[in-house]
Amino acid sequence: MNTRFVLTVLCTLALSACGKKETPAPAPAPATATAPSNAEAKVLNIYNWPDYISENMVSDFEKETGIQVNYQTFENNEVLQAKLIAGNSGYDIVVPGAVFAQSQIEAGLLQALDKSKIPNLSNLDSAIMAKLDAVDPGNAHLVPWAWSFTTVGINKTKVAKALGNTPMPDNAWDLVFNPTYTSKLKSCGIAFLDSPTEVMPPALHYIGKNAYSADTADHKAAGDMLALVRKDIRLFSSTLIDDLAGGKACVVLGWAGDINIARSRAIENQSAEEIEALVPQTGGLLFFDNLAVPKDAKHPNNAMAFINYFLKPEVSAALTNELSYPTANKASIAFVAPEMAQNKSVFLDEASLQQAVSPASLSNSTRESLTAAYTRFKQGK
Ligand code: N2P
């Protein structure tokens, strides 16, 4: 390749400078400025939720690409938010929930994806992407990782025993929010997720308010309801899978996917007791978690490579098959195991999906008010 040809190509790519007569022709750019992806170290730093990736995804990606992955986990959206706000997290991929993502995009904390490097985006379900467009206009920043719903999980045997003559309620949310039930179930252990934005929306939904209400008076009303059950809650926990599978709790307010993981762990441990993710008649709370690249990520091209790898149908399907979390990868459905596809607490049926509450964006000020109400509840004040 001769120098003139290289310069012509550079001038074509750098549309601005070369053609303008009034500015002198630029000196040839140093090699590093024009060397794109291969200028990155072969490293990728991922920050995801616990129990949220198939066993071989990282090692298979490393083998295929030669990129070495450092993988760390966070327990709730609040922790991730704090890292992103502080900046210089060092992460190249993070996985915010849809309720947090819009304010992160608006605050400039996430960078636009280079879609030219993610051809497998075409595997995504266009109906889900159209929904996500409300949070992320043009689907510029987010690629859905997995979804599920927040609900009530139980150990059926223990709950039946603790309830005694009291029949199971029609509304599953009564098991965690109604003192008639919590006062009985506290003997075998009630555990809640430990995060304002996980607990307050179901509480608001239970008292008939908009789950994502911005109204502080609604937050107070939900707090008043929660205060009635506070003494019956044994744990605020970020290890609900183990708590439920290991017997520390018989009832949890948690994620359906994790409750199903607890179920398979209990079966592996040859426990006769049945764990079940209930599908509330009044609706569970849907959530979507999304791959995103922090603004200051050092390895954005490696991030695009990982996102594209994840979007292979078999790779997405392994996440569903091993962890009972559906993805938005439509092409993966063909590889999803029948027992997952048929499980109505993994893939909600049409009626339950209609009934479920869709996620909505929470502003910074709404989150502050929810946190204040949650903290009062947790501290018993
Ligand atoms: C962890 C799944 C996280 C789902 N196993 C909640 N965003």
Side-chain angles (χ1 to χ4, degrees):
M1 229 192 291
N2 66 40
T3 316
R4 183 179 299 248
F5 176 75
V6 172
L7 280 176
T8 310
V9 171
L10 285 176
C11 289
T12 313
L13 291 174
L15 291 170
S16 52
C18 306
K20 288 185 190 159
K21 295 233 166 63
E22 64 274 22
T23 50
T32 48
T34 55
S37 52
N38 52 9
E40 278 178 22
K42 289 251 177 198
V43 170
L44 178 66
N45 298 311
I46 301 182
Y47 198 39
N48 195 358
W49 305 71
D51 301 288
Y52 218 23
I53 191 162
S54 62
E55 203 180 336
N56 296 326
M57 200 189 297
V58 162
S59 53
D60 288 351
F61 170 77
E62 287 178 331
K63 266 180 233 148
E64 186 169 303
T65 61
I67 295 168
Q68 187 222 320
V69 174
N70 300 312
Y71 192 86
Q72 290 179 5
T73 60
F74 61 89
E75 283 155 359
N76 55 52
N77 274 308
E78 285 81 356
V79 170
L80 171 57
Q81 172 76 6
K83 290 261 187 199
L84 291 176
I85 293 277
N88 289 316
S89 66
Y91 297 115
D92 302 304
I93 290 189
V94 293
V95 193
V99 295
F100 275 65
Q102 184 169 4
S103 64
Q104 291 164 353
I105 292 166
E106 286 169 2
L109 299 173
L110 305 175
Q111 61 176 271
L113 303 169
D114 182 349
K115 294 187 185 181
S116 71
K117 299 201 165 76
I118 322 176
N120 288 337
L121 284 172
S122 62
N123 289 334
L124 286 165
D125 184 332
S126 53
I128 293 179
M129 297 313 283
K131 287 216 168 124
L132 202 57
D133 188 84
V135 170
D136 176 27
N139 297 127
H141 303 81
L142 305 176
V143 168
W145 174 254
W147 63 274
S148 180
F149 58 100
T150 304
T151 189
V152 177
I154 59 169
N155 177 313
K156 286 198 273 186
T157 315
K158 289 187 177 175
V159 163
K161 205 166 151 204
L163 288 181
N165 294 331
T166 307
M168 279 285 281
D170 289 336
N171 180 1
W173 291 116
D174 280 334
L175 295 171
V176 291
F177 292 140
N178 181 339
T180 303
Y181 297 91
T182 59
S183 60
K184 298 194 165 65
L185 295 168
K186 72 174 179 192
S187 60
C188 60
I190 302 174
F192 278 20
L193 286 166
D194 189 9
S195 147
T197 53
E198 298 289 353
V199 173
M200 297 306 293
L204 283 156
H205 175 60
Y206 181 70
I207 61 167
K209 306 286 187 193
N210 170 0
Y212 298 98
S213 169
D215 188 342
T216 300
D218 290 348
H219 303 166
K220 177 164 184 330
D224 290 346
M225 178 278 287
L226 287 167
L228 303 176
V229 299
R230 174 63 188 90
K231 64 179 185 344
D232 299 334
I233 313 304
R234 182 182 289 177
L235 296 168
F236 292 88
S237 173
S238 46
T239 55
L240 287 185
I241 298 176
D242 290 338
D243 298 338
L244 192 55
K248 267 197 208 158
C250 62
V251 181
V252 301
L253 186 169
W255 304 306
D258 278 17
I259 297 163
N260 277 306
I261 296 173
R263 181 185 164 88
S264 43
R265 280 198 198 158
I267 290 170
E268 276 168 21
N269 297 341
Q270 267 134 35
S271 153
E273 293 162 329
E274 283 266 281
I275 288 168
E276 186 178 346
L278 302 174
V279 181
Q281 281 178 8
T282 62
L285 274 73
L286 294 173
F287 61 80
F288 289 84
D289 296 316
N290 310 281
L291 299 174
V293 182
K295 192 74 174 187
D296 55 8
K298 302 251 179 345
H299 312 100
N301 292 310
N302 296 346
M304 303 307 148
F306 182 83
I307 294 171
N308 198 53
Y309 180 81
F310 162 65
L311 289 175
K312 289 183 180 191
E314 300 90 329
V315 176
S316 294
L319 173 57
T320 306
N321 292 337
E322 291 176 34
L323 294 146
S324 56
Y325 277 98
T327 73
N329 188 335
K330 207 169 180 179
S332 78
I333 299 291
F335 300 91
V336 169
E339 66 269 24
M340 284 298 160
Q342 286 153 18
N343 185 333
K344 291 194 166 34
S345 68
V346 177
F347 290 90
L348 289 169
D349 65 23
E350 202 44 47
S352 304
L353 211 46
Q354 289 300 323
Q355 193 66 30
V357 180
S358 291
S361 294
L362 293 170
S363 68
N364 291 339
S365 64
T366 300
R367 287 203 311 270
E368 275 168 31
S369 169
L370 290 171
T371 302
Y374 176 76
T375 306
R376 277 196 300 275
F377 157 58
K378 198 176 155 186
Q379 293 177 348
K381 289 191 182 145

